[in-house]
Amino acid sequence: MNTKKLFRSRVLFVVIILGFVFSAFSINGGHDITPDEVVTHIKYLASDELGGRFPGTRGDSLAEEYAIGLFKSYGLVPIAEDGYRQRFSFVTEIKAGDQNSFSVDLKGKEKKYEPGTDFFPLNFSTNGSAEGELVFAGYGINASDKKYDDFGKINLNGKIAVIMRYTPGYNNPHEDTFSDYEPIRKKCNAVRDAGAKGIIVITGPQSGEDEIFTTLRLSKETESIGIPVIIVKRTIIEKIFEANGKNLDEVQKGIDNSKTPNSFELEKAKVKFQSDLVYVNSNTSNIIGYIEGTDPVLKNEIIVIGAHMDHLGDGMKYGSMNEKHEPEIHNGADDNASGSAGVLIIADKLAAERKNLKRSYIFMLFSGEEAGLIGSAYFTKSELFKKYNITAMINMDMIGRMNEDKLTVEGAGTSSSWKTILDSLNNINDKLILTLGESGYGSSDHSSFYSMDIPVLQFFTGLHTDYHRPSDDWQLINADGEVKVLNLVYEFVTVIDSRPEKPDLIKAKEEKQQTMRGFKVTLGIIPDYSDAVEGLQILGVKAGGPGENAGLQKGDIIKKMGSHVIKNIYDYTYALGDFKKGDETEIVVKRGDEELTLKVVFNK
Ligand SMILES: [Zn+2]
């Protein structure tokens, strides 16, 4: 009758062969997991009423209340600072303030312009004002590998630079020579490093694009770059060109055709501008519940079972891959109502078996994951984290779209028995096609825990075309598939619960050093996205990577790489883009009160 019982005895058999002693399967976990309960949770969390569960919204609170209600009904103990809630806030939106201004003094005549129609601050602009003489700096590119330098013949020190978007010859689809230098933030960094105190960005007449002045989207590149930056309507700058006897269209054509810079001072004009961005914070929470184990010793070894519950809302703030730039509810059924349902269901089952549990459990539904693992990073830095001896973390992010019985489990290399247990359970269970990834670092919340030297596992049924789009809906969930995942997770947990020894930690050797897209080299570190320090703080160092070889340590703050000053993660990624395989450079880091210079060699 109970098929579970059947394979339970088979598990025992396999397990004894493997040399483990499991008593795990005396845990029955109340009822069997059903596709219905999977669908019920997902259908609600991914409903239009919840609006895509964006942090700080009504939908976010409704999701929190839903989870809290269930945690209560399962009898989980509220251990967070505020009952089941660990409250925190972070920047989720950037708006234009009312102090944006821009005026041009052309031959002694001053003209003021309108924010929103004539100019607009860029989202990485620093609040403040800039005033002075203008220098045209072409495309704002210094590409030594292409023997092209827009800054070579001008002095930008203390000046305001005018640069064009895109790259020389950008409109010719057969030419792709400058694409590495195209990102606007990267250019602005280069202009800043060349000494400019403010930047005006324009869309050149040859670039054939509409000029957009009113969108400020929170992207991963919003951290301010240190000087004010505005984008200005081309016609305003064209007039300044004319007053200096130049024609912007001709100048751009000349640069595009010859691939030769043509930078110069625009003497006849002075400008004054002020950039005013308002950062909107959202208040949200991690939802946390606890079950205490029964073994007097082992109950002090806590296992975290977690998933992020937040998603992208209407897709207008960050993370959306919606081709239409219009608000549309991103229901996030797979990402990550599916994993949240998983936490609820496993919590329910374990709570029903609490008398048989040796170890203790923390169930967590994180917020702010989509903005860069904000909630889990907040937790692992909180006092609450320090209070509990967490010995393993199991994460579920996107487990609702199983295809042909395929399941990816990341972090399988982070503890010595993980793979054996997974394989042994899988062999007699649903026979899933498992792909086991070694690394404990990845793009979900388990990464925050692995950074704290905790063995982790992350369950994932794979990417699909609805990922981060409004079409990630509950109707597309493979509920039978998710039941298979949850059975495996549940059984895995019961095995860990019953073993006398604490899961050991292996800082897995990264099987392949993941190189960021478009980068030729990697440093092999995990950047801390959440910290507001100046520089780039290192959250973790990958074993065997160039960073570890150079002597970088967790907690170090990178201040300089080669000639690049590193003020934040974007400076870092752009600096990294300038190195090739086999290059050697110096890295200046702050470690405590010390400043160290280390030599790094990028892998060939
Ligand atoms: Zn996501």
Side-chain angles (χ1 to χ4, degrees):
M1 248 191 68
N2 187 341
T3 51
K4 274 263 157 61
K5 253 192 191 136
L6 183 69
F7 67 66
R8 246 168 230 141
S9 52
R10 286 162 66 193
V11 167
L12 200 60
F13 174 71
V14 171
V15 150
I16 287 165
I17 289 178
L18 289 168
F20 296 116
V21 181
F22 291 171
S23 60
F25 296 92
S26 61
I27 298 176
N28 196 344
H31 65 285
D32 283 344
I33 300 170
T34 66
D36 271 0
E37 59 182 324
V38 167
V39 171
T40 304
H41 293 312
I42 295 178
K43 205 169 159 181
Y44 177 67
L45 291 172
S47 66
D48 281 356
E49 192 191 354
L50 269 62
R53 307 183 304 280
F54 191 83
T57 61
R58 180 176 169 267
D60 185 35
S61 318
L62 287 174
E64 288 177 359
E65 279 157 27
Y66 180 74
I68 288 173
L70 290 167
F71 275 14
K72 252 186 216 161
S73 75
Y74 307 150
L76 305 191
V77 183
I79 54 160
E81 295 87 343
D82 182 6
Y84 293 102
R85 282 191 171 89
Q86 178 175 53
R87 296 183 189 272
F88 65 98
S89 67
F90 67 100
V91 176
T92 53
E93 192 182 356
I94 301 178
K95 286 183 185 167
D98 52 12
Q99 298 298 312
N100 289 292
S101 66
F102 172 55
S103 63
V104 177
D105 182 333
L106 196 57
K107 297 180 193 167
K109 270 174 76 180
E110 196 187 16
K111 191 168 166 33
K112 287 193 166 69
Y113 291 96
E114 279 302 307
T117 46
D118 299 322
F119 77 96
F120 210 63
L122 290 187
N123 58 1
F124 53 80
S125 171
T126 297
N127 283 345
S129 55
E131 182 176 356
E133 289 160 0
L134 285 180
V135 178
F136 176 68
Y139 284 99
I141 290 173
N142 177 6
S144 51
D145 54 333
K146 315 265 185 250
K147 303 210 165 29
Y148 178 97
D149 182 5
D150 278 322
F151 313 126
K153 291 185 175 152
I154 47 170
N155 180 4
L156 281 176
N157 237 328
K159 301 280 172 60
I160 289 164
V162 176
I163 61 165
M164 297 186 289
R165 295 164 72 197
Y166 308 113
T167 57
Y170 175 83
N171 262 341
N172 184 343
H174 303 294
E175 297 182 37
D176 184 35
T177 46
F178 288 92
S179 57
D180 282 357
Y181 298 92
E182 193 197 321
I184 186 67
R185 186 184 173 106
K186 181 172 188 174
K187 291 172 167 214
C188 288
N189 277 351
V191 174
R192 175 199 66 199
D193 292 348
K197 63 180 178 185
I199 303 173
I200 290 174
V201 177
I202 56 170
T203 307
Q206 289 293 312
S207 303
E209 274 240 359
D210 288 346
E211 299 179 271
I212 304 164
F213 296 110
T214 49
T215 25
L216 276 176
R217 296 189 87 175
L218 188 73
S219 73
K220 293 216 162 142
E221 311 212 335
T222 353
E223 213 168 315
S224 73
I225 72 164
I227 55 173
V229 184
I230 57 173
I231 184 160
V232 170
K233 210 171 195 172
R234 175 199 309 144
T235 51
I236 298 168
I237 302 301
E238 277 174 339
K239 282 196 195 109
I240 298 175
F241 268 63
E242 279 162 31
N244 281 277
K246 305 269 188 188
N247 178 306
L248 177 61
D249 192 35
E250 294 298 317
V251 170
Q252 188 180 18
K253 269 189 211 157
I255 299 172
D256 285 2
N257 294 336
S258 65
K259 304 284 180 307
T260 308
N262 182 9
S263 302
F264 43 81
E265 289 181 15
L266 290 161
E267 290 163 346
K268 302 271 166 22
K270 274 190 184 149
V271 299
K272 192 155 73 172
F273 64 90
Q274 182 165 351
S275 149
D276 177 22
L277 300 177
V278 178
Y279 299 87
V280 182
N281 268 281
S282 287
N283 298 315
T284 185
S285 305
N286 295 322
I287 305 301
I288 305 173
Y290 178 72
I291 298 177
E292 184 152 284
T294 56
D295 185 287
V297 178
L298 296 181
K299 73 175 185 185
N300 299 314
E301 293 182 7
I302 288 122
I303 298 168
V304 172
I305 297 174
H308 77 87
M309 193 157 66
D310 67 300
H311 196 50
L312 307 172
D314 64 8
M316 294 306 283
K317 304 226 170 66
Y318 54 72
S320 172
M321 294 175 73
N322 191 8
E323 286 75 12
K324 288 184 274 178
H325 289 286
E326 286 165 16
E328 227 180 313
I329 297 174
H330 289 51
N331 299 90
D334 184 34
D335 187 9
N336 186 27
S338 68
S340 306
V343 169
L344 295 169
I345 291 167
I346 301 283
D348 186 13
K349 268 181 87 71
L350 287 177
E353 284 294 328
R354 70 183 75 219
K355 290 198 177 63
N356 298 317
L357 297 175
K358 296 192 168 111
R359 291 184 160 82
S360 302
Y361 291 83
I362 290 179
F363 299 93
M364 287 193 73
L365 293 160
F366 305 105
S367 187
E369 190 273 350
E370 301 285 15
L373 318 185
I374 309 282
S376 53
Y378 184 88
F379 173 73
T380 55
K381 285 181 184 155
S382 67
E383 288 301 314
L384 193 56
F385 173 82
K386 287 183 202 135
K387 257 171 77 178
Y388 292 91
N389 174 34
I390 296 169
T391 55
M393 194 272 174
I394 291 164
N395 193 54
M396 291 170 270
D397 194 353
M398 299 174 68
I399 55 169
R401 295 286 286 268
M402 183 178 278
N403 181 21
E404 294 171 343
D405 281 345
K406 284 184 269 190
L407 176 67
T408 298
V409 189
E410 299 290 346
T414 63
S415 192
S416 56
S417 57
W418 271 191
K419 281 185 222 165
T420 323
I421 299 172
L422 283 168
D423 280 336
S424 65
L425 291 173
N426 187 46
N427 275 336
I428 35 73
N429 202 341
D430 289 303
K431 277 269 181 199
L432 300 174
I433 303 160
L434 293 184
T435 302
L436 302 182
E438 297 283 319
S439 176
Y441 293 120
S443 51
S444 190
D445 297 301
H446 59 291
S447 211
S448 301
F449 289 81
Y450 188 55
S451 301
M452 303 306 286
D453 290 341
I454 294 165
V456 294
L457 280 183
Q458 141 70 1
F459 291 81
F460 172 50
T461 49
L463 273 185
H464 44 78
T465 51
D466 306 302
Y467 172 72
H468 281 204
R469 292 194 169 87
S471 52
D472 180 5
D473 287 326
W474 70 268
Q475 291 89 341
L476 299 171
I477 292 294
N478 176 355
D480 293 326
E482 176 151 349
V483 169
K484 293 177 188 175
V485 178
L486 295 180
N487 280 330
L488 182 60
V489 171
Y490 177 76
E491 278 148 21
F492 183 86
V493 169
T494 59
V495 170
I496 301 305
D497 188 85
S498 64
R499 304 180 80 201
E501 69 273 28
K502 173 178 143 184
D504 59 350
L505 171 79
I506 299 176
K507 275 290 195 183
K509 187 139 181 133
E510 303 298 309
E511 65 268 46
K512 51 178 184 267
Q513 295 285 339
Q514 273 190 348
T515 312
M516 278 182 282
R517 220 158 60 93
F519 288 86
K520 300 172 204 82
V521 300
T522 174
L523 192 54
I525 59 151
I526 311 303
D528 186 344
Y529 287 89
S530 69
D531 238 350
V533 298
E534 188 166 300
L536 178 91
Q537 185 145 33
I538 299 175
L539 205 54
V541 181
K542 295 183 186 181
E548 189 188 66
N549 295 338
L552 289 174
Q553 293 178 8
K554 175 172 147 185
D556 285 356
I557 300 167
I558 300 180
K559 305 293 267 185
K560 224 177 153 191
M561 261 174 83
S563 61
H564 301 271
V565 177
I566 312 291
K567 286 194 189 300
N568 52 51
I569 181 141
Y570 311 105
D571 293 350
Y572 165 72
T573 50
Y574 290 132
L576 204 58
D578 281 355
F579 294 103
K580 298 185 299 297
K581 289 186 163 81
D583 276 1
E584 201 178 297
T585 192
E586 281 185 343
I587 297 190
V588 179
V589 299
K590 207 172 154 236
R591 183 178 298 163
D593 293 332
E594 266 184 297
E595 196 158 277
L596 307 169
T597 303
L598 304 169
K599 200 169 81 183
V600 65
V601 183
F602 293 106
N603 291 348
K604 290 223 168 155

